[in-house]
Amino acid sequence: MSDYSFEISRLYDSVPLYATRPDVQFYVEEARSAGGNVLEIGCGTGRVLIPTARAGLTIDGVDTASGMISVCAERVASEPQAVRDRVALHESDGRHLDLRKSFRLVTAPFRVMQHQITIDDQLEFLASVKRHLGRDGRFVFDVFNPDFAALVSADGIEREDTPPTSLPDGRSFRRAARVKRVRFVEQVSEVEVIYYVTASGEPEKRFVQGFDMRWYLRDELVHLLARAGLRVRSMYGDFDRSPLADTSKEIIVVTELA
Ligand SMILES: C[S@@+](CC[C@H](N)C(=O)[O-])C[C@H]1O[C@@H](n2cnc3c(N)ncnc32)[C@H](O)[C@@H]1O
């Protein structure tokens, strides 16, 4: 399971690689075409959830990490009343969710499915999705399209991916990442993201977020979803809805009940 501690959850929204991801408009468009009534599983700090609610659409957000959901709750609390009224948050594991409510759209943006490591995790997660999907509902999610050259050459060396960056509270941080090991048989990369945080007059603090990332192949997703009673409607290779190709960075999947 992912390791989003309170400290790391506080840094999430200041990471430029996350803040500049081109997926928000895509998920807001999906929510708009569903007409609201969205469930986002793995909503994190609200990076997608808040713009969805600001666009006038109702959304329930679920996350298993207390740090992430509490940052999300703080951010929602600072929104105008009309936006707040469109949001409900739940701290819960998406694999065992039962809100006793169905939704027109269920989403898992930014690689949430890659935190579901084993086949049992994935089937439990997808069973939750199905439990919450209305008759004509859709489940939309994204995972990265595996870059085999990068997987084979993973060397465990820490490389900076974020230069020194200011935080809203006056501190600053820089960040590095490394792939410790790739377990090819399990299709899992062991990742570490390392944050170096500096506050004036204090020694630099090092926070390590270690997690496994399960990577998927396109046809594996089609089979997995079919086992869970879901059918693929469309697959894209980018958030501009271009077709999935060998060079695509993303696999974006739109599904419906089979
Ligand atoms: C990369 S973040 C994405 C957050 C948000 N969707 C976004 O786009 O910024 C992945 C999130 O998924 C959550 N997560 C992973 N597995 C989960 C599960 N089984 N149930 C609920 N949340 C989960 C993590 O706690 C984390 O907040």
Side-chain angles (χ1 to χ4, degrees):
M1 197 35 72
S2 49
D3 171 23
Y4 288 94
S5 66
F6 273 87
E7 193 53 57
I8 282 162
S9 303
R10 294 243 153 259
L11 302 172
Y12 186 89
D13 290 317
S14 298
V15 176
L17 286 173
Y18 302 160
T20 59
R21 262 181 78 75
D23 56 354
V24 176
Q25 196 190 335
F26 170 88
Y27 281 105
V28 172
E29 273 168 21
E30 288 294 315
R32 198 173 275 126
S33 58
N37 187 224
V38 182
L39 169 63
E40 182 182 347
I41 309 184
C43 64
T45 61
R47 193 181 63 84
V48 173
L49 175 139
I50 292 172
T52 306
R54 282 181 187 155
L57 304 155
T58 52
I59 182 160
D60 281 43
V62 170
D63 205 286
T64 188
S66 331
M68 295 296 265
I69 203 92
S70 56
V71 172
C72 188
E74 277 172 30
R75 291 187 60 199
V76 170
S78 67
E79 290 289 318
Q81 183 70 47
V83 175
R84 295 205 302 267
D85 288 347
R86 290 194 276 271
V87 175
L89 296 179
H90 316 267
E91 184 180 330
S92 182
D93 190 322
R95 292 170 302 175
H96 314 293
L97 194 63
D98 195 358
L99 297 175
R100 295 176 190 282
K101 197 174 155 191
S102 65
F103 294 84
R104 282 197 287 272
L105 176 68
V106 180
T107 63
F110 198 6
R111 305 179 181 167
V112 176
M113 269 301 284
Q114 297 194 250
H115 291 295
Q116 318 315 314
I117 306 300
T118 66
I119 293 172
D120 285 346
D121 292 334
Q122 293 149 16
L123 289 174
E124 282 175 346
F125 190 94
L126 293 173
S128 284
V129 168
K130 204 172 161 209
R131 218 169 15 252
H132 292 88
L133 216 46
R135 253 168 54 86
D136 299 319
R138 292 194 183 165
F139 171 49
V140 183
F141 67 98
D142 60 87
V143 294
F144 67 61
N145 188 24
D147 173 345
F148 289 101
L151 291 169
V152 169
S153 61
D155 56 10
I157 295 174
E158 198 178 308
R159 288 186 180 80
E160 186 170 276
D161 69 7
T162 309
T165 301
S166 303
L167 290 165
D169 61 8
R171 297 180 300 160
S172 69
F173 78 103
R174 61 190 175 86
R175 196 180 95 145
R178 70 184 190 118
V179 176
K180 272 175 33 186
R181 186 159 79 104
V182 179
R183 306 199 303 266
F184 281 93
V185 169
E186 292 164 56
Q187 295 180 211
V188 168
S189 297
E190 297 177 9
V191 181
E192 268 184 10
V193 181
I194 306 109
Y195 293 82
Y196 296 92
V197 181
T198 315
S200 69
E202 283 178 29
E204 184 177 74
K205 284 192 183 139
R206 185 172 185 271
F207 299 96
V208 180
Q209 180 190 20
F211 54 95
D212 286 351
M213 277 301 259
R214 174 69 155 80
W215 35 273
Y216 300 89
L217 300 180
R218 182 196 65 174
D219 286 1
E220 177 195 6
L221 285 172
V222 175
H223 286 294
L224 175 67
L225 289 159
R227 268 191 88 185
L230 295 162
R231 174 172 49 220
V232 174
R233 263 184 80 93
S234 0
M235 275 194 180
Y236 306 113
D238 203 344
F239 293 103
D240 61 6
R241 298 177 194 268
S242 51
L244 179 61
D246 288 349
T247 50
S248 301
K249 298 264 184 280
E250 312 285 341
I251 305 180
I252 300 154
V253 193
V254 179
T255 72
E256 61 193 2
L257 291 174

